[in-house]
Amino acid sequence: MSIACIACVDTGEVGLLQMCGKYSGTAAPGINCIMWPFQTVAKVPTKVRTARCSAEWQHISVFQIEVRTDTKTKDNVTLTVTSVIQCCVDAERAHDYYYKLSNPHQQVSSYVHDCIRSLLPNHELDKAFESKDEMASTIKEAVALAMQPYGLNIVTALVTDMAVDPTVLKAMNEINAARRHRVAAVERAEAEKILAVKAAEAEAEAKELSGKGTARMRQAITEGFKGSIESMQHS
C-alpha cells in the first residue's frame, strides 16, 4: 500500500527522486507529490557553502579544495605546490554527482597530484615559478575533463604557493646575493675607471694650459729683449 505524500524541495536544492532505491528523476524546488514509502526524495544543495570537514564534501555543490602536492623539478629540487580548486555541482547532472562520487575531495586531489607531478619534472626551478599560470590552466582543463562524467564542474584552479625546502631556499638566496655582489663590484670598478679617466683628462688639460702659459711668458720675454736690443742699436 502506498500513500500520496508531499515532499518539499527548498530553493537552492535539487531533489533526486528514487523509486524503491532506484533513481527515477529530479524534483524542482517547491511542493512535489511522491508515493511513499516506495518513492523517496534525496536533496542535493546547489547553493554556495563552505565545507568544514571532509565528511561534508558529498553534501554540498560549490566548494573549494586545497591540495598540497610534493614533487621534484627537472633540476632535482623538492617543491610543495599548494593549489586551490573551486568546484560546483551541475544541477542537470546532480544524480551523477550524488550516486557516482563517494569522496569528491579525494578524487579531485588525486587528479591534481597526477597533473602537477607530470608537469613540474619537465621544468627547472626558475621556469616552474614562471609557469604558475600555465600550470593552473592545465590543472583546470585536466580535472574538468576527468570530473565532467560525475556532474562536477570546475569553476577555477589556482596555484597559490610553491614552497621550496629551507636549505634550497637558503642556497638560492646566497646565489642571488653573490650575483648582486658581482654586479655591484663591476659597477664600482666602472665608476672608479670613469673617475680615473676624468682625473687624467683634467691633469692633462691643466698641464696643457700651464705649458701654453709658460710659452707665452717666454715669448713676451724674448720680445722684450728684442725690443731692448733694437733700441740700443738705434741709439
Side-chain angles (χ1 to χ4, degrees), residues 12-16 23 25-29 44-47 61-62 88-98 150-153:
E13 292 182 333
V14 173
L16 303 179
Y23 170 74
T26 59
V44 177
T46 58
K47 55 189 176 182
S61 59
V62 179
C88 68
V89 174
D90 186 345
E92 296 181 358
R93 304 190 63 179
H95 58 285
D96 289 329
Y97 170 79
Y98 187 81
Y150 302 102
L152 190 62
N153 295 331

Side-chain angles (χ1 to χ4, degrees), residues 29 38 84 89 135 140 163 204 208-210 221:
F38 301 104
V84 172
V89 174
M135 191 186 311
K140 179 183 177 181
E208 181 182 359
L209 293 175
S210 177
I221 293 172

Side-chain angles (χ1 to χ4, degrees), residues 4-215:
C5 292
I6 293 175
C8 294
V9 178
D10 295 336
T11 299
E13 292 182 333
V14 173
L16 303 179
L17 298 175
Q18 301 177 100
M19 179 64 74
C20 297
K22 181 180 179 181
Y23 170 74
S24 60
T26 59
I31 296 177
N32 295 270
C33 292
I34 62 173
M35 301 302 294
W36 187 86
F38 301 104
Q39 195 174 36
T40 57
V41 178
K43 299 176 182 180
V44 177
T46 58
K47 55 189 176 182
V48 179
R49 292 173 55 193
T50 301
R52 294 182 298 274
C53 62
S54 59
E56 295 186 15
W57 292 119
Q58 61 183 358
H59 303 301
I60 64 176
S61 59
V62 179
F63 52 91
Q64 178 170 294
I65 303 174
E66 185 176 281
V67 185
R68 287 184 174 86
T69 307
D70 293 325
T71 185
K72 284 188 176 182
T73 60
K74 188 176 181 180
D75 47 353
N76 206 35
V77 177
T78 301
L79 279 178
T80 299
V81 181
T82 302
S83 52
V84 172
I85 313 298
Q86 292 182 341
C87 313
C88 68
V89 174
D90 186 345
E92 296 181 358
R93 304 190 63 179
H95 58 285
D96 289 329
Y97 170 79
Y98 187 81
Y99 293 110
K100 293 182 180 180
L101 280 180
S102 60
N103 191 335
H105 177 273
Q106 183 177 353
Q107 288 171 275
V108 170
S109 297
S110 297
Y111 284 110
V112 173
H113 290 324
D114 180 69
C115 188
I116 291 176
R117 287 169 181 160
S118 64
L119 286 173
L120 278 184
N122 298 320
H123 298 305
E124 294 185 350
L125 184 60
D126 292 341
K127 180 64 177 178
F129 278 99
E130 294 173 3
S131 60
K132 286 176 62 176
D133 292 339
E134 178 186 349
M135 191 186 311
S137 177
T138 304
I139 292 172
K140 179 183 177 181
E141 293 176 5
V143 178
L145 183 63
M147 302 308 294
Q148 185 178 7
Y150 302 102
L152 190 62
N153 295 331
I154 306 302
V155 179
T156 187
L158 301 171
V159 176
T160 57
D161 187 34
M162 297 177 70
V164 185
D165 184 87
T167 56
V168 177
L169 185 61
K170 181 180 178 181
M172 290 174 60
N173 290 334
E174 290 176 353
I175 291 172
N176 289 331
R179 185 182 296 119
R180 292 190 181 96
H181 286 320
R182 286 198 300 271
V183 172
V186 171
E187 293 295 331
R188 201 160 41 243
E190 287 293 332
E192 291 174 356
K193 176 183 176 182
I194 292 172
L195 290 175
V197 170
K198 291 298 181 181
E201 289 177 352
E203 184 179 358
E205 187 175 351
K207 288 181 178 179
E208 181 182 359
L209 293 175
S210 177
K212 287 181 179 179
T214 303

